[in-house]
Amino acid sequence: MTSITKNSGGVLPWSDDSIENAPAEKGLYVLRSLPTQNGIAFIGYTDNLKKELKDKWENREIPEVAWFDWYTVATKDYGEDLLKKWVEKYSPKLNLIG
């Protein structure tokens, strides 16, 4: 069975130091304006969590982000499927634009 293989251990402050602890592995990341379920602004999938989070941090792509968490996955297919399910379930405002 394919599943989440590791996670951030909770919601972390959106900071360079916290991002440094993310692995350079495939997975999902959740960007939040609040550390709660209703604060989810964006959910994404990437092949390299650390690189993607660093890029978003440096470019300030989503200015309201104050918190984040991440989840590594065993396969890309599982990650992309889980992304679709989470976007449907949590309706993050920035995933629904466009």
Side-chain angles (χ1 to χ4, degrees), residues 27-45:
L28 282 85
Y29 58 95
V30 181
L31 303 180
R32 303 166 180 263
S33 58
L34 298 169
T36 59
Q37 180 177 320
N38 63 349
I40 296 173
F42 184 81
I43 303 172
Y45 170 83

Side-chain angles (χ1 to χ4, degrees), residues 40-76:
I40 296 173
F42 184 81
I43 303 172
Y45 170 83
T46 181
D47 288 326
N48 186 326
L49 285 163
K50 182 178 274 190
K51 181 182 182 314
E52 183 75 14
L53 291 167
K54 280 186 172 191
D55 288 348
K56 294 218 178 301
W57 169 260
E58 291 168 2
N59 296 326
R60 304 285 195 250
E61 289 182 32
I62 305 174
E64 66 266 19
V65 174
W67 305 91
F68 78 105
D69 46 312
W70 53 261
Y71 305 83
T72 62
V73 294
T75 68
K76 182 176 182 172

Side-chain angles (χ1 to χ4, degrees), residues 74-87:
T75 68
K76 182 176 182 172
D77 287 342
Y78 180 76
E80 290 174 343
D81 184 51
L82 190 57
L83 173 62
K84 289 176 190 172
K85 289 178 183 175
W86 284 5
V87 167

